[in-house]
Amino acid sequence: TPGDHPKRTFFLNSGAEAVENAIKVARSFTGRQAVVCLEHGFHGRTNLALALTSKVLPYKKGFGPFAPEVYRIPFPYCYRCGEGSKRAGGEGGCCMASRERLEQIFAGTVDPDSVAAIIMELELGEGGFVPAPKEYVAELARFAREHGILFIADEIQTGFGRTGKLFASEHYGLVPDIITTAKSLAGGLPLAAVTGRADVLDAAQVGGLGGTYGGNPLACAAALAVLDVMEAEHIPARAARMGERVRARFCEWATRYDCIGDVRGLGAMIGMELVADRATRAPEKALTQRLLAAALERGLILLSAGTFGNTVRVLAPLTTPDEILDEGLDVMEQALDAVVLIPPFR
């Protein structure tokens, strides 16, 4: 993981467990209780992880009460921000990358000196494949450091090559205090990890961190094999090329279909947001669902994402051959033609 400081890793079974334990060690190390998360974030389905997660339906509805001392601040979702030139056409700086703005947000949310950690997805996963602007991440990390707040990078979906680098943090020149990983770590076997500064992970009392199956030998052997293949086959670089291929197709479609409001992402973690109208940017969830159904009829499984359910995301295996990737994109284009050019029966 980024940084050459002494580190420790604690193995678990799932991403949600990694998130919960990252918060535990942050609280133990700092002696503070509050945790700050960001809007549109997804951090898992256990109680504390749900408290950190933004999207209500289907994840949180009916499952409260949730863990206390969790405070949510805005995520720099540039496409849906009403300020600054970046929202108009992708140029200019992030209006939220301001120390003054952060001070104002925290003044009405939580005392920074009571915060143990800020946890953040550098590119939203379930929240709609929205990469945070680099200048915002730098300012937030600086703010955290000056207030003694630990920065936790949730790399459960972005980690291990998905964004074109081994970790999304590398795109930002960020050295988090703690990184949570899972998913691609063991190629589908149940393994997750909390990796961070040695002094942070060593702060908890003996026996305070544990789990029956965490770090089981089979999953660890799979993870070692995954790392060998990633190195031998240059998987992160392969992901970057895949992302360029997907982005080019999405951008070409955007010139033909007004319903594609935004194309974005890092590496192979690319999404397109569907809207009813480019001027108002009203989310088009119904069209998104019709697109997914039309793709499935043609043999292609797609996933939607986003707080508004109107982003189509691509998470193809990073070992997918170009011809198979192109075949999938061709089917996706056929499905898009069907739902956009042929209106639904009314």
Side-chain angles (χ1 to χ4, degrees):
T1 58
D4 56 5
H5 53 279
K7 301 169 189 171
R8 299 282 187 273
T9 289
F10 171 42
F11 289 117
L12 302 121
N13 304 291
S14 69
E17 282 184 271
V19 166
E20 297 240 357
N21 280 275
I23 301 302
K24 284 165 63 176
V25 297
R27 284 172 165 167
S28 178
F29 177 77
T30 63
R32 304 173 180 181
Q33 295 184 340
V35 180
V36 168
C37 56
L38 285 89
E39 290 176 352
H40 307 292
F42 178 86
H43 299 286
R45 299 171 186 258
T46 49
N47 187 263
L48 176 56
L50 277 178
L52 297 166
T53 292
S54 283
K55 192 172 182 178
V56 174
L57 192 66
Y59 302 115
K60 302 177 74 166
K61 184 177 174 62
F63 296 147
F66 303 109
E69 287 297 309
V70 171
Y71 300 89
R72 203 174 315 281
I73 64 174
F75 185 94
Y77 191 161
C78 293
Y79 181 67
R80 297 204 166 274
C81 177
E83 302 178 43
S85 60
K86 198 162 190 174
R87 269 55 60 198
E91 301 298 329
C94 174
C95 64
M96 291 176 58
S98 156
R99 179 56 180 262
E100 181 181 5
R101 176 66 67 87
L102 286 174
E103 295 282 4
Q104 291 172 353
I105 290 171
F106 275 82
T109 306
V110 61
D111 175 13
D113 294 333
S114 70
V115 176
I118 295 171
I119 184 167
M120 180 182 191
E121 295 173 282
L122 298 169
E123 177 176 345
L124 295 173
E126 177 59 32
F129 279 29
V130 184
K134 292 180 180 179
E135 62 269 30
Y136 175 83
V137 174
E139 190 61 46
L140 184 63
R142 184 161 44 246
F143 178 88
R145 187 167 55 250
E146 291 175 5
H147 284 281
I149 301 170
L150 298 181
F151 194 108
I152 302 173
D154 182 336
E155 296 241 24
I156 289 163
Q157 191 163 150
T158 57
F160 295 99
R162 177 62 55 180
T163 68
K165 295 184 181 292
L166 198 58
F167 298 100
S169 300
E170 297 175 68
H171 289 281
Y172 294 86
L174 177 69
V175 179
D177 298 293
I178 301 172
I179 292 182
T180 57
T181 53
K183 296 191 186 296
S184 299
L185 170 59
L189 272 72
L191 187 67
V194 179
T195 302
R197 287 167 35 193
D199 57 336
V200 173
L201 264 74
D202 285 342
Q205 65 274 16
V206 174
L209 306 176
T212 303
Y213 299 109
N216 72 84
L218 178 60
C220 286
L224 289 171
V226 164
L227 292 173
D228 287 344
V229 170
M230 284 198 168
E231 183 176 18
E233 300 185 12
H234 309 288
I235 295 297
R238 165 70 180 153
R241 293 193 297 273
M242 285 179 63
E244 292 170 0
R245 208 175 189 91
V246 174
R247 184 188 295 274
R249 290 290 293 274
F250 281 13
C251 289
E252 191 271 325
W253 299 343
T255 65
R256 292 157 44 198
Y257 305 116
D258 289 341
C259 63
I260 300 176
D262 195 28
V263 174
R264 56 183 179 248
L266 299 171
M269 197 169 167
I270 302 292
M272 62 179 185
E273 182 165 351
L274 303 185
V275 294
D277 181 84
R278 283 186 178 176
T280 65
R281 305 185 185 185
E284 184 48 280
K285 183 176 180 179
L287 177 63
T288 305
Q289 291 303 310
R290 293 201 301 273
L291 174 59
L292 266 58
L296 186 59
E297 289 174 358
R298 292 161 174 79
L300 177 67
I301 299 173
L302 294 175
L303 282 174
S304 62
T307 301
F308 310 106
N310 66 317
T311 297
V312 179
R313 53 179 163 173
V314 172
L315 283 169
L318 301 182
T319 53
T320 305
D322 289 346
E323 59 271 20
I324 299 297
L325 182 63
D326 288 341
E327 180 184 353
L329 291 169
D330 289 343
V331 173
M332 194 172 175
E333 183 172 4
Q334 294 164 16
L336 193 57
D337 283 340
V339 299
V340 174
L341 302 181
I342 305 174
F345 178 78
R346 296 187 186 278

